[in-house]
Amino acid sequence: MISGFFIFNQKGEVLISRLYRTDLKRSIADVFRIQVVSNSDVRSPIITLGSTSFFHVRVNNLYVVAVTKCNANAALVFEFCYRFISIAKSYFGKVDEEAVKNNFVLIYELIDEIIDFGYPQNSEADTLKTYITTESVISSNIAAEESSKITTQATGATSWRRGDVKYKKNEAFVDVVETVNLSMSAKGTVLRAEVDGHIMMRAYLSGSPECKFGLNDKLVVDKSERTGGDAVELDDCRFHQCVRLDEFDSTRTISFVPPDGEFELMKYRSTTNVKLPLKVIATVNEVGTTQVTYVIAVKTNFNNKLSATNVVIRIPTPLNTTSVDCKVALGKAKYVPAENVVVWKLPRIQGGQEVTFSGTAKLTSTTTRQVWARPPIDVDFQVLMFTSSGLIVRFLKVFEKSNYHSVKWVRYLTKASGSYQIRF
């Protein structure tokens, strides 16, 4: 698959270099530096020069690069790059140049373990941590016993979990987190509305439990099955490797043996029947060349028992604004000249509630009048126990041969951060 793996800093200096096959030479790093790092016009994450393909991922100030001479599966190569980044984060937190230089011995151990002759091997962080450790060396007696467990785990049917995990209190936490992306026209027409969802799970369960996880009865994944109506339609789903996919296809039940601790169980996307938590109606008028008047109404579209928290509304102003007179009944509004916006912060809005901002921006006269581009209003928020896609967890069951009692928790969170925009 891949012939070489590199990590470059933003100057093009090689921090990590490993060749897995003889069809590449170390001088290939110079080609990437000249063609990609030094060339600001390159935007594609894949660049092919002759018979050599470079796949790169930017993370902070680094380039994580995989190089291949063969016709490799691009999705698989990128999955490996992102998996390496997540493993690095689980070992030493933030992945940046300083962290790579401080942990280069550990990184070489990791990449030698997770890739063999260019093919990805075991990339489960929990399994790797059992034998690639940054802690002190353990005694030889314990080491012999541990090594047999490691071998069983790495080569067994569930490489992501050890069988001897024990907890005094058995708990499972499920978080359904959705990020709403909205682009709405000045006339109130939805130009784009989609939901990016993640189901995160924290499993603190003893032994090797079997978990069953049920979603909506009316759940459509296959496009050919779509009939409209109120069914929850998911455009694509991606599961953790522990999930048995055949059972999900037939019954929409997710059956799996969970890894120990926190992991991402499922990723999904939805672009139909998206419920918008907040409706923003903006009336903005330019009064001559000296003033702009604003009336912004925000209404919540969910049950009055729920509430939106940490609501931040960023209202753009013209570049030649000198001051803004803000009037709000709820929250605080302040003009930020450095960013040319009025920031309206609302700690909480109850379901069914409507709040209004009114203001007048005073403009300074300019010699040449430029047309105001009118950037969109940007809204950030969080709503607990609400999903825009309509996805719900019907049940969560835990089966284990010792029949212990387990406590299950399910939480929903819908949020927007820089992606919920209304034009005016």
Side-chain angles (χ1 to χ4, degrees):
M1 194 180 101
I2 69 171
S3 300
F5 179 81
F6 300 89
I7 299 178
F8 294 82
N9 64 11
Q10 60 188 354
K11 296 176 183 176
E13 297 168 343
V14 179
L15 303 179
I16 299 290
S17 168
R18 176 67 83 220
L19 298 183
Y20 295 101
R21 301 187 182 188
T22 55
D23 57 357
L24 283 185
K25 295 181 179 177
R26 294 202 182 276
S27 58
I28 200 74
D30 298 329
V31 177
F32 182 81
R33 181 189 302 112
I34 295 163
Q35 297 292 336
V36 178
V37 179
S38 303
N39 188 355
S40 58
D41 295 333
V42 173
R43 293 191 177 185
S44 172
I46 304 174
I47 182 168
T48 302
L49 301 167
S51 61
T52 308
S53 296
F54 298 86
F55 301 78
H56 74 272
V57 174
R58 291 289 304 270
V59 51
N60 294 326
N61 55 353
L62 301 177
Y63 292 86
V64 177
V65 184
V67 187
T68 181
K69 284 263 189 182
C70 63
N71 186 18
N73 183 331
L76 185 59
V77 176
F78 282 119
E79 176 63 26
F80 164 73
C81 291
Y82 283 111
R83 187 65 69 91
F84 167 77
I85 293 166
S86 68
I87 291 169
K89 284 180 179 175
S90 71
Y91 267 92
F92 45 81
K94 189 177 180 183
V95 181
D96 57 13
E97 185 176 349
E98 185 182 358
V100 170
K101 287 179 177 177
N102 290 341
N103 296 279
F104 77 95
V105 174
L106 172 62
I107 291 171
Y108 274 111
E109 279 192 77
L110 288 171
I111 61 177
D112 285 345
E113 187 59 45
I114 62 181
I115 289 194
D116 187 12
F117 194 60
Y119 291 99
Q121 304 297 311
N122 191 350
S123 59
E124 280 295 321
D126 291 338
T127 308
L128 292 168
K129 283 182 179 178
T130 58
Y131 53 91
I132 297 179
T133 174
T134 54
E135 296 171 358
S136 56
V137 179
I138 54 178
S139 66
S140 57
N141 293 336
I142 300 173
E145 185 183 337
E146 283 293 309
S147 64
S148 65
K149 291 179 182 177
I150 290 164
T151 307
T152 306
Q153 183 184 352
T155 59
T158 54
S159 61
W160 53 87
R161 184 180 181 90
R162 295 175 65 154
D164 59 348
V165 179
K166 288 184 181 178
Y167 288 99
K168 286 185 178 179
K169 187 176 182 182
N170 293 288
E171 294 180 300
F173 300 87
V174 176
D175 288 332
V176 181
V177 182
E178 294 190 344
T179 302
V180 188
N181 302 308
L182 171 72
S183 181
M184 184 177 280
S185 73
K187 295 180 180 178
T189 309
V190 176
L191 304 173
R192 179 179 68 100
E194 64 179 38
V195 172
D196 289 321
H198 302 257
I199 298 181
M200 304 296 297
M201 187 168 181
R202 283 174 292 152
Y204 306 116
L205 302 168
S206 304
S208 296
E210 175 85 21
C211 295
K212 285 204 172 181
F213 189 99
L215 300 174
N216 307 53
D217 290 323
K218 293 183 178 180
L219 183 68
V220 179
V221 178
D222 189 353
K223 290 183 178 180
S224 61
E225 298 175 7
R226 296 188 176 179
T227 56
D230 58 349
V232 176
E233 299 181 6
L234 303 182
D235 286 354
D236 51 67
C237 299
R238 187 175 144 200
F239 296 96
H240 189 276
Q241 70 185 76
C242 66
V243 176
R244 297 186 183 91
L245 296 177
D246 52 346
E247 201 163 327
F248 177 76
D249 289 337
S250 57
T251 64
R252 293 293 179 255
T253 301
I254 301 173
S255 180
F256 59 99
V257 176
D260 186 42
E262 186 172 356
F263 66 100
E264 184 180 75
L265 180 65
M266 175 182 172
K267 257 185 181 180
Y268 60 91
R269 195 168 60 90
S270 177
T271 56
T272 52
N273 299 333
V274 176
K275 300 169 191 167
L276 301 176
L278 297 182
K279 186 177 182 182
V280 179
I281 302 166
T283 307
V284 180
N285 295 313
E286 296 181 50
V287 183
T289 58
T290 58
Q291 285 187 346
V292 177
T293 61
Y294 295 86
V295 178
I296 314 291
V298 180
K299 189 175 182 181
T300 51
N301 288 335
F302 45 81
N303 193 299
N304 58 12
K305 292 181 181 177
L306 306 178
S307 60
T309 57
N310 301 325
V311 181
V312 179
I313 303 164
R314 299 167 68 83
I315 305 161
T317 60
L319 297 176
N320 58 331
T321 302
T322 54
S323 64
V324 181
D325 180 25
C326 306
K327 293 178 182 177
V328 290
L330 190 68
K332 292 181 180 178
K334 183 182 178 183
Y335 172 54
V336 183
E339 299 176 28
N340 289 303
V341 292
V342 174
V343 179
W344 181 18
K345 293 184 178 180
L346 298 144
R348 182 183 295 270
I349 311 176
Q350 209 64 30
Q353 188 178 3
E354 184 173 340
V355 291
T356 306
F357 164 90
S358 59
T360 304
K362 294 180 180 176
L363 314 179
T364 183
S365 57
T366 55
T367 53
T368 56
R369 190 187 176 192
Q370 291 183 332
V371 178
W372 182 28
R374 293 197 173 211
I377 294 170
D378 195 72
V379 186
D380 296 351
F381 59 84
Q382 293 183 349
V383 184
L384 273 172
M385 306 312 290
F386 174 87
T387 56
S388 284
S389 66
L391 191 82
I392 58 167
V393 177
R394 286 189 292 120
F395 63 84
L396 173 60
K397 296 176 182 176
V398 178
F399 305 97
E400 216 274 338
K401 57 187 177 185
S402 61
N403 284 327
Y404 56 67
H405 174 70
S406 58
V407 181
K408 282 89 70 178
W409 308 87
V410 179
R411 184 180 67 162
Y412 304 93
L413 174 66
T414 295
K415 62 180 182 176
S417 180
S419 58
Y420 201 91
Q421 297 182 333
I422 297 91
R423 299 178 186 173
F424 57 88

